[in-house]
């Protein structure tokens, strides 16, 4: 293990956690840095781990593995300080309990460090909603939703959630999952009529909502002082278990080539993704863009094609909400968002 790279990874992660509203994890990452410098239990846990700790998001893997022990009831002392387990978010008290888990539960933690952090953040639907509504208003047609990199497929259910977005409301007030976000700027097309023709998604490595172990993995990667995200995830999983969206294990390009080849008279095909594009190699991004250009060129008012994205710009702190609808314009930048969907500014 390259110690300097590990230190840099924890330092950056501490900054990221602070920026995205997790003071508990920010402090644990700062303490982790000190532990690595002092060759403490965390340094010993990671000594044989191979890879680039920064690009592999190793700090998030460690935090996720330890959080999983807490959620499984295997770390009761640490649970007292993890709000997702009813604890108090006291970082000073959490740190020794955290180190104790690292020191004593090494055998259970090490295999979990092989997992790439996996999330399915349902509050991203708050930003996606405005883009879908815009496409519905522009085309006046039912939406055929196709999500790439959909994880467990929970964001395929966006139309079944209720939303309170600043002063705006959308969806049923009694929907089992209510999403709240801060909303600044203009109103989106909240009164646009919208209907869904069908919904399906693919992921290279999907989480299966019917598997308790897979759901636990998604839960574990939620930050332990953000219990509202855990509540939302669980509500979305409960909904999906009653009416599961179609999720296939596949790479985005071949899957979309097949899906977009289906006849599409009288529907608006909507391809969308969130927190996905940055995981692709440049060649894969180019190939997807070429596929979209091909379908854009063939789109007609009866067979429109939309590309919706909720992705980081060059600064990791900001999300750009972008939409293209063909035939017609090439691209509209309709808003800015927060990586976990907490805040939206609509243009
Ligand atoms: C950070 S997660 C985001 C999941 C979901 N879109 C969300 O916003 O919560 C990124 C997902 O992209 C998937 N992924 C990465 N490359 C892919 C590819 N080439 N094709 C399909 N899925 C891919 C990963 O497996 C992972 O589940």
């Amino acid at each position: 293990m390259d110690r300097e790279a590990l230190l840099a990874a924890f330092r950056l992660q501490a900054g990221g956690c602070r920026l995205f509203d997790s003071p508990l994890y920010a402090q644990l990452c700062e303490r982790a840095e000190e532990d690595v410098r002092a060759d403490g239990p965390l340094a010993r846990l990671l000594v044989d781990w191979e890879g680039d700790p920064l690009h592999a998001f190793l700090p998030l893997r460690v935090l996720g593995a330890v959080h999983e022990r807490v959620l499984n009831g295997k770390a009761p002392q640490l649970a007292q300080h993890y709000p997702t387990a009813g604890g108090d978010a006291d970082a000073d008290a959490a740190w020794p309990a955290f180190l104790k888990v690292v020191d004593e539960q090494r055998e259970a933690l090490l295999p979990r460090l092989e997992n790439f952090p996996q999330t399915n953040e349902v509050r991203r639907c708050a930003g996606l909603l405005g883009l879908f509504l815009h496409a519905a208003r522009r085309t006046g047609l039912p939406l055929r939703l196709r999500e790439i990199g959909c994880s467990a497929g929970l964001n395929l259910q966006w139309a079944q959630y209720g939303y309170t977005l600043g002063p705006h409301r959308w969806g049923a007030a009694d929907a089992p999952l209510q999403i709240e976000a801060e909303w600044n700027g203009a109103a989106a097309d909240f009164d646009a009529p919208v209907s869904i023709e069908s919904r399906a998604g693919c992921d290279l490595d999907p989480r299966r909502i019917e598997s308790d172990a897979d759901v636990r993995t998604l839960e574990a990667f939620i930050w332990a002082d953000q219990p509202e995200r855990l509540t939302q995830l669980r509500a979305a999983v409960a909904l999906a278990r009653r009416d599961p969206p179609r999720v296939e294990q596949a790479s985005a390009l071949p899957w979309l080539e097949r899906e977009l080849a289906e006849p599409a008279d009288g529907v608006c095909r909507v391809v969308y993704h969130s927190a996905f594009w940055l995981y692709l190699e440049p060649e894969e991004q180019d190939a997807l863009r070429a596929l979209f250009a091909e379908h854009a060129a063939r789109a007609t008012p009866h067979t429109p094609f939309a590309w919706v994205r909720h992705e980081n710009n060059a600064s990791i702190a900001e999300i750009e909400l972008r939409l293209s609808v063909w035939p017609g314009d090439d691209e509209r930048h309709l808003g800015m968002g927060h990586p976990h969907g907490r805040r939206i500014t609509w243009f």
Side-chain angles (χ1 to χ4, degrees), residues 110-317:
L110 279 174
R112 311 308 284 159
L113 300 184
E114 300 309 312
N115 294 344
F116 202 82
Q118 262 269 17
T119 55
N120 200 180
E121 183 54 56
V122 288
R123 202 161 40 182
R124 291 187 183 126
C125 291
L128 288 168
L129 175 69
L131 301 170
F132 295 136
L133 294 177
H134 198 87
R137 164 138 298 155
R138 283 270 301 278
T139 64
L141 292 174
L143 306 181
R144 177 178 293 175
L145 303 168
R146 295 296 179 264
E147 183 181 2
I148 47 181
C150 72
S151 186
L154 300 177
N155 291 350
L156 285 163
Q157 312 185 116
W158 59 268
Q160 287 153 277
Y161 303 152
Y163 298 82
T164 303
L165 305 172
H168 312 291
R169 277 220 46 91
W170 194 86
D174 62 350
L177 171 53
Q178 295 294 326
I179 291 184
E180 288 181 25
E182 196 181 304
W183 189 276
N184 301 300
D189 290 291
F190 292 119
D191 57 352
V194 55
S195 70
I196 311 288
E197 184 247 7
S198 64
R199 54 192 188 139
C202 78
D203 198 285
L204 268 185
D205 184 19
R207 298 295 102 187
R208 302 285 176 197
I209 43 137
E210 61 278 13
S211 152
D212 288 341
D214 275 16
V215 170
R216 181 46 51 88
T217 305
L218 291 175
E219 291 176 353
F221 283 115
I222 284 176
W223 297 354
D225 53 350
Q226 300 185 337
E228 72 288 356
R229 290 175 64 200
L230 187 63
T231 306
Q232 288 175 347
L233 175 75
R234 287 179 174 163
V237 168
L239 191 65
R241 282 181 167 171
R242 289 202 290 277
D243 179 18
R246 171 162 69 90
V247 173
E248 292 179 51
Q249 177 160 28
S251 182
L253 183 65
W255 185 78
L256 268 186
E257 281 170 341
R258 191 196 72 200
E259 290 291 321
L260 294 177
E262 293 290 315
D265 243 7
V267 294
C268 173
R269 293 159 298 159
V270 180
V271 170
Y272 70 100
H273 48 85
S274 59
F276 160 78
W277 198 252
L278 77 169
Y279 292 98
L280 303 182
E281 297 297 330
E283 305 75 51
E284 207 173 357
Q285 295 180 350
D286 289 345
L288 280 169
R289 275 200 203 91
L291 180 69
F292 299 152
E294 189 188 307
H295 285 277
R298 290 211 300 262
T300 71
H302 300 291
T303 61
F305 174 60
W307 179 22
V308 161
R309 46 233 189 260
H310 181 297
E311 295 290 343
N312 287 97
N313 59 18
S315 115
I316 58 149

Side-chain angles (χ1 to χ4, degrees), residues 10-84:
F10 274 109
R11 196 159 43 245
L12 265 171
Q13 192 57 54
C17 290
R18 207 168 286 289
L19 191 61
F20 302 133
D21 316 294
S22 178
L24 174 65
Y25 269 20
Q27 288 178 67
L28 293 181
C29 286
E30 284 158 8
R31 301 286 180 91
E33 230 188 300
E34 291 165 20
D35 178 272
V36 170
R37 276 188 213 289
D39 280 330
L42 192 59
R44 291 198 292 278
L45 176 78
L46 300 177
V47 71
D48 292 328
W49 189 87
E50 286 182 12
D52 173 348
L54 192 61
H55 286 107
F57 297 101
L58 185 57
L60 287 183
R61 294 183 191 214
V62 172
L63 291 163
V66 171
H67 193 200
E68 188 170 32
R69 303 303 291 160
V70 171
L71 294 173
N72 286 344
K74 304 290 186 194
Q77 205 183 327
L78 182 56
Q80 290 174 25
H81 309 296
Y82 270 20
T84 46

